Amino acid sequence: MGDRFSAQDRFAAGAQYIGGELRPGTSGQRHSVIDPATGEQVLTYDLASTADVDAAVAAAGAAFPGWAGATPGERSDAMHGFAAVLAERAEEFAQAESLQCGKPIKLSREFDVPGSIDNTAFFAGAARHLAGQSAGEYSGDHTSYVRREPIGVVGSIAPWNYPLQMAAWKVLPAIAAGNTIVLKPAELTPLTSLLFAQAATEAGIPDGVVNIVTGAGRDAGEHLVGHPDVAMTSFTGSTAVGKRVAEIATSTVKRLHLELGGKAPFVVFDDADLEAAVHGAVAGALINTGQDCTAATRAYVQRPLYDAFVQGVADLMETVRLGDPFDESTDLGPLISHAQRDRVAGFVDRARGYARVVTGGTAPENDGAYYRPTLIADAAQDSEIVQSEIFGPVLVVLPFDSDDEGIRLANDTPYGLAASAWSRDVYRTGRATREIQAGCVWINDHIPILSEMPHGGYKASGFGKDMSAYSFEEYTQVKHVMYDNTAVARKDWHRTVFGPR
């Protein structure tokens, strides 16, 4: 383990990063980061207490005036330096991410880490483009313009499935807009969030601008969300926990951004390129061992292609290589924990009573939290396996007849985060992009994301956007400034309040 990433040595001073330095948590509770591929301990640390959250919020509050008062160019320069530090340390980040999550190293190296570096470079540039509406005389007697101003201290909570990328998605737009932030990563996977904050300091971003508290959700997380000095909460995680976050945040009238669960449909029309759809379904369902809220989880295939699609996906899934995440030939790593593996297995085992497990559906005999790629067919639309978020390497496939039915089934869940449609017909795909209720609809592909494009959901998948210039709408206050141009003391509209015309 030590030759991969010496976490216990790197974080000997503690797993809280407050005001530019590591320190231990003061909750009195110890927690271990576990390598899910082996079951071995990677790091044991003291969890954050509510007092640690208070200290982090105070550090962010103290740093806010200076950071908010910096010019866009100054913030941009610091963030360009941040991107450069991340690039220099890319391999360290990749190894830490694979160690704590069980991700195949090729996924960490080729997706998580370069995506986060690119996101940092994007927001470094975007920091210079926080423009409001241009000035104009909209009333005739006044000049109006719009300012975008930072909100204050942001309290964010990130999940365990993409720890580095989620830290980036939370931190970068917030600080590019001039805010300061306290981020609580999942206690299962704090390593790369801590490295990310340290890299920000190394790049010259002032102490206190980026702070990390690593603690339990019910203690540190709820205290952060409800903190009176936190002006905004951004949360990514399950819909159930998101509802609790919303209850706490709205009680203090905070700005709220939620990116919640998903159950992405994968709609294959009868004129689709079958080979492309099969490959897209396997990749889209198995990325990050299926622990992705945008993963392809429900394939709806028009009946003429249904049987061939099921066979093609099953055959391709059986070629997927499970193994050591640090072996470059490994395709699929373990789930985040044995508890999550058992949860996924429970969904599949219950589905055996009403559906057909075409391939997979078992765990290999080893010490890791592995589960084989699984394809399920012949389930009813209202069944648990179709409606519930499983968060594992499981794809369920159902047939449909008419285009109307395919789109109706795609929309028939509470979620609306992502979807894809597969067809050679531009009119069919155009209809799918208009009528499928999701924050992102891919055509003839599934999963790619871009720093320049927004990410966020409809319905129970939450509201607000990560990435892109649209994210600034989450992290800035919009202020209208209005100047009188007449120099007239007694204005005509005053007569509506006092005196004769």
Side-chain angles (χ1 to χ4, degrees):
M1 188 184 305
D3 61 348
R4 293 175 175 178
F5 184 83
S6 54
Q8 200 69 55
D9 295 337
R10 184 64 184 265
F11 301 113
Q16 318 302 323
Y17 194 73
I18 299 172
E21 64 179 13
L22 286 169
R23 62 176 74 175
T26 62
S27 69
Q29 298 177 339
R30 299 280 283 172
H31 183 80
S32 293
V33 176
I34 303 296
D35 177 356
T38 63
E40 296 177 347
Q41 290 186 1
V42 173
L43 172 70
T44 300
Y45 66 94
D46 296 303
L47 290 169
S49 67
T50 56
D52 298 320
V53 173
D54 291 341
V57 171
F64 175 70
W67 185 247
T71 67
E74 289 169 339
R75 289 199 295 268
S76 176
D77 287 347
M79 293 183 69
H80 277 299
F82 190 8
V85 171
L86 295 175
E88 290 170 2
R89 294 170 53 186
E91 181 61 19
E92 179 185 13
F93 277 91
Q95 290 190 21
E97 194 78 336
S98 288
L99 186 62
Q100 67 181 348
C101 300
K103 294 175 188 284
I105 191 67
K106 64 181 180 180
L107 181 66
S108 294
R109 285 174 177 158
E110 298 176 31
F111 184 72
D112 297 67
V113 174
S116 299
I117 295 169
D118 182 75
N119 215 228
T120 307
F122 171 81
F123 279 107
R128 291 179 177 267
H129 297 283
L130 280 169
Q133 189 171 343
S134 60
E137 286 67 50
Y138 296 97
S139 76
D141 291 336
H142 305 81
T143 295
S144 290
Y145 67 90
V146 171
R147 290 176 55 89
R148 282 192 175 275
E149 298 178 348
I151 297 171
V153 176
V154 177
S156 292
I157 299 176
W160 48 256
N161 58 333
Y162 288 102
L164 176 59
Q165 286 196 318
M166 294 300 99
W169 289 14
K170 299 301 182 193
V171 169
L172 297 172
I175 68 172
N179 302 286
T180 56
I181 189 167
V182 178
L183 172 71
K184 192 198 89 64
E187 57 269 36
L188 293 173
T189 55
L191 303 184
T192 46
S193 297
L194 291 164
L195 292 176
F196 194 71
Q198 289 178 304
T201 300
E202 184 179 338
I205 292 174
D207 294 347
V209 172
V210 180
N211 306 275
I212 307 292
V213 289
T214 307
R218 290 191 177 276
D219 300 320
E222 291 198 2
H223 189 65
L224 178 62
V225 173
H227 201 290
D229 295 329
V230 169
M232 175 184 167
T233 290
S234 177
F235 171 80
T236 296
S238 72
T239 297
V241 178
K243 291 177 180 179
R244 174 63 178 157
V245 169
E247 290 172 0
I248 299 170
T250 54
S251 70
T252 55
V253 199
K254 285 179 169 55
R255 178 79 65 87
L256 182 61
H257 167 220
L258 298 174
E259 197 263 88
L260 306 177
K263 189 71 177 176
F266 186 101
V267 183
V268 182
F269 294 101
D270 59 12
D271 66 333
D273 181 326
L274 180 61
E275 181 183 14
V278 166
H279 281 79
V282 173
L286 301 186
I287 186 171
N288 203 37
T289 318
Q291 299 167 125
D292 186 312
C293 49
T294 62
T297 57
R298 298 179 291 138
Y300 297 101
V301 183
Q302 207 150 23
R303 207 169 293 272
L305 293 184
Y306 180 76
D307 290 339
F309 179 88
V310 170
Q311 188 62 56
V313 169
D315 290 345
L316 190 54
M317 278 187 169
E318 289 170 3
T319 71
V320 171
R321 300 162 296 187
L322 281 68
D324 177 1
F326 284 84
D327 184 339
E328 294 184 1
S329 68
T330 293
D331 297 322
L332 196 74
L335 291 149
I336 188 64
S337 66
H338 287 81
Q340 179 65 12
R341 182 201 62 188
D342 294 345
R343 178 180 180 274
V344 171
F347 276 105
V348 176
D349 291 343
R350 290 189 295 273
R352 297 180 198 276
Y354 57 79
R356 173 169 59 101
V357 178
V358 181
T359 190
T362 60
E365 294 182 1
N366 60 34
D367 293 331
Y370 290 87
Y371 198 77
R372 290 188 172 90
T374 300
L375 179 65
I376 294 175
D378 305 334
Q381 173 66 14
D382 62 356
S383 61
E384 178 190 51
I385 204 76
V386 175
Q387 292 292 326
S388 298
E389 187 173 29
I390 300 168
F391 233 53
V394 179
L395 175 65
V396 58
V397 57
L398 297 85
F400 69 91
D401 291 304
S402 68
D403 289 16
D404 288 348
E405 182 188 16
I407 291 176
R408 178 181 63 79
L409 292 171
N411 287 331
D412 184 28
T413 70
Y415 301 106
L417 186 58
S420 64
W422 299 72
S423 171
R424 293 182 172 96
D425 186 328
V426 66
Y427 297 103
R428 269 179 158 171
T429 57
R431 180 187 179 190
T433 63
R434 293 190 302 272
E435 297 186 15
I436 292 178
Q437 298 163 0
C440 174
V441 180
W442 292 286
I443 299 300
N444 296 323
D445 207 346
H446 195 106
I447 285 297
I449 55 174
L450 297 166
S451 295
E452 291 85 356
M453 290 293 111
H455 176 87
Y458 286 26
K459 303 190 293 186
S461 292
F463 49 81
K465 300 300 179 185
D466 289 310
M467 299 196 298
S468 82
Y470 291 97
S471 64
F472 284 131
E473 296 177 7
E474 315 301 323
Y475 293 97
T476 57
Q477 298 276 18
V478 175
K479 177 185 286 184
H480 171 211
V481 178
M482 194 174 195
Y483 283 92
D484 169 59
N485 292 329
T486 66
V488 174
R490 300 182 63 181
K491 296 177 173 57
D492 187 59
W493 73 267
H494 293 175
R495 305 286 73 76
T496 63
V497 181
F498 64 89
R501 178 172 289 278

